[in-house]
Amino acid sequence: MMDTMVLKFGGSSVADNEKLKLVADKIIKIKNKKYNIVVVVSAQGKTTDKLISEAKELSNEVKDREMDALLSIGEQITTAKLSILLNEMGYKAISLTGWQAGIYTDNTNQNATIKHINLSRINKELEEGKIVIIAGFQGINENMDVTTLGRGGSDTTAVALSAALNAKKCYIFSDVDGIYTTDPNKYNNVKKLPELSYEEMHEMSSEGAKVLHNRCIEIGEKFKIPIIAESTFNDNSGTVISDIIEENTIKSIVKSETSRISIIGNGIIRNVKAIKNLINIIEREKLEMLELLILENKIVITFKAVVDNRIVDRIQEELINVS
Ligand code: ADP
Ligand code: ASP
Ligand code: MG
């Protein structure tokens, strides 16, 4: 039995036909290394945002059930297009909706939790040598109604499928070639992190770094699935999120709301030098704090007023780039 790889491609990676071709090339390269391939895709580009605003133009009180019925279509369009393309390129592929793929959730429309996955259809297609392309972010509840998993939920579909299929790894491909110390699209002097613990990634996501869906990290940790964040558009080595034992460098900064900054790293509570440096920056910049929380793996500061992005750059230079 060949090993299975799960590959997830986010909205910006599948935005148009040109990008779908790059995605198909990436899939084929991995398939040719003799793996069973399960692909999870998001809706193309800004499709989900567009569908939400179109629904809200029709009604101020869109029922969650109907919103899910609408939004799930976004992901399905991508599965069908990618399957059409791969078949055209001479590879056997099949598109499956969340429910065809046996993804069962609870009844919480708009924020459903995956309860179990019935693998019979996926396994049947894999045994026939097909690349199985599954719509992310969606499932079906006990009433056979479509549900969605919350914004960014395709990551969770991918890691949950990896767990169910006993996959070796779960690749999350996006427009960034890994997880950086802070959002590379917003800040300067950022560094790519070759590895992160589940705990650190979980802290980053819960503090508001919108790069991976929070719940996918919990599933990865529970089932010990290494999650690899890489770019769809190049072959640079990315970030591996897995178990890391005993490591205590400061990893990242998240500025979630305008007045809240979190600094994340295993065992940061014992890093006296970093804590002193941080206090120095705050004094030097004459910033007024409302609350300072120093926990095992993160420091969270809430300031009295809006904090400039420049402060994040400063913390990055004095705490991360020197450690
Ligand atoms: P996808 O549409 O593929 O799911 P997302 O937009 O959800 O991709 O996540 C990728 C984005 O996450 C990047 O474009 C980047 O701006 C943002 N991001 C936020 N924080 C980080 C970080 N620390 N490292 C890398 N990317 C980050
Ligand atoms: N399409 C959904 C969203 O935009 C799910 C996802 O992209 O993961 O939130
Ligand atoms: Mg995402």
Side-chain angles (χ1 to χ4, degrees):
M1 182 74 182
M2 279 193 291
D3 284 336
T4 302
M5 291 282 193
V6 175
L7 321 177
K8 180 256 170 178
F9 295 91
S12 48
S13 301
V14 294
D16 53 37
N17 284 355
E18 283 313 304
K19 292 200 167 132
L20 281 175
K21 283 183 192 147
L22 299 175
V23 165
D25 289 340
K26 198 122 207 165
I27 294 169
I28 290 165
K29 230 192 227 173
I30 299 173
K31 169 86 178 154
N32 286 345
K33 290 184 189 156
K34 302 267 174 286
Y35 288 109
N36 283 325
I37 302 286
V38 171
V39 179
V40 173
V41 288
S42 294
Q44 293 185 283
K46 300 265 172 244
T47 302
T48 309
D49 291 336
K50 191 164 161 268
L51 291 173
I52 292 172
S53 56
E54 283 172 359
K56 288 186 174 165
E57 273 168 34
L58 295 173
S59 164
N60 289 328
E61 287 171 37
V62 183
K63 286 196 171 68
D64 285 346
R65 182 196 178 280
E66 302 311 325
M67 193 60 111
D68 280 352
L70 180 66
L71 298 191
S72 58
I73 297 165
E75 272 55 24
Q76 290 172 45
I77 291 173
T78 320
T79 59
K81 284 187 181 172
L82 187 56
S83 179
I84 290 168
L85 177 60
L86 282 163
N87 278 291
E88 171 64 23
M89 291 166 82
Y91 287 82
K92 288 194 287 181
I94 185 163
S95 62
L96 296 179
T97 62
W99 49 102
Q100 287 173 323
I103 300 174
Y104 291 89
T105 73
D106 67 8
N107 291 330
T108 323
N109 283 101
Q110 291 277 284
N111 196 23
T113 305
I114 298 176
K115 289 290 164 202
H116 71 276
I117 301 179
N118 177 341
L119 290 175
S120 49
R121 178 70 186 271
I122 299 179
N123 280 336
K124 174 183 165 283
E125 304 299 347
L126 287 176
E127 275 157 27
E128 289 175 18
K130 290 183 194 150
I131 298 167
V132 182
I133 305 160
I134 298 173
F137 173 61
Q138 60 180 255
I140 194 161
N141 66 18
E142 60 191 3
N143 306 320
M144 306 290 275
D145 281 336
V146 177
T147 54
T148 64
L149 309 182
R151 296 304 307 268
S154 299
D155 297 332
T156 293
T157 305
V159 183
L161 279 166
S162 306
L165 287 158
N166 225 342
K168 285 279 159 226
K169 290 172 186 172
C170 180
Y171 281 91
I172 306 278
F173 292 106
S174 74
D175 59 336
V176 277
D177 63 358
I179 311 293
Y180 281 76
T181 45
T182 190
D183 189 339
N185 289 325
K186 285 195 192 147
Y187 299 99
N188 304 314
N189 296 323
V190 295
K191 278 198 301 195
K192 189 162 58 179
L193 298 160
E195 48 180 20
L196 271 172
S197 68
Y198 293 114
E199 171 109 34
E200 287 166 328
M201 190 63 236
H202 193 258
E203 293 290 10
M204 281 175 78
S205 298
S206 23
E207 289 301 319
K210 290 195 180 62
V211 58
L212 286 181
H213 199 228
N214 213 350
R215 278 156 40 207
C216 86
I217 318 295
E218 289 164 23
I219 302 172
E221 179 162 28
K222 187 166 167 193
F223 294 93
K224 302 279 172 260
I225 310 283
I227 301 171
I228 299 156
E230 283 187 8
S231 167
T232 304
F233 308 116
N234 62 47
D235 291 327
N236 298 349
S237 65
T239 301
V240 181
I241 301 149
S242 62
D243 275 327
I244 301 175
I245 306 162
E246 289 250 298
E247 208 242 0
N248 46 16
T249 50
I250 298 176
K251 291 291 175 56
S252 64
I253 309 167
V254 183
K255 186 173 144 203
S256 44
E257 298 151 27
T258 46
S259 59
R260 181 182 157 110
I261 289 181
S262 314
I263 300 136
I264 294 151
N266 281 341
I268 198 167
I269 197 167
R270 288 178 288 283
N271 193 335
V272 180
K273 189 170 159 231
I275 297 171
K276 273 190 187 158
N277 279 350
L278 184 62
I279 302 290
N280 277 342
I281 298 171
I282 293 168
E283 283 177 359
R284 213 186 317 137
E285 298 285 341
K286 299 190 173 47
L287 299 169
E288 285 192 86
M289 288 189 283
L290 270 184
E291 189 179 45
L292 170 68
L293 271 175
I294 305 181
L295 304 171
E296 177 67 23
N297 298 326
K298 67 177 171 185
I299 299 175
V300 184
I301 315 166
T302 313
F303 294 96
K304 270 196 182 158
V306 173
V307 181
D308 200 88
N309 281 2
R310 189 176 54 78
I311 303 298
V312 175
D313 290 334
R314 195 79 346 114
I315 300 175
Q316 157 91 21
E317 279 158 27
E318 296 191 30
L319 267 76
I320 297 193
N321 289 356
V322 294
S323 63

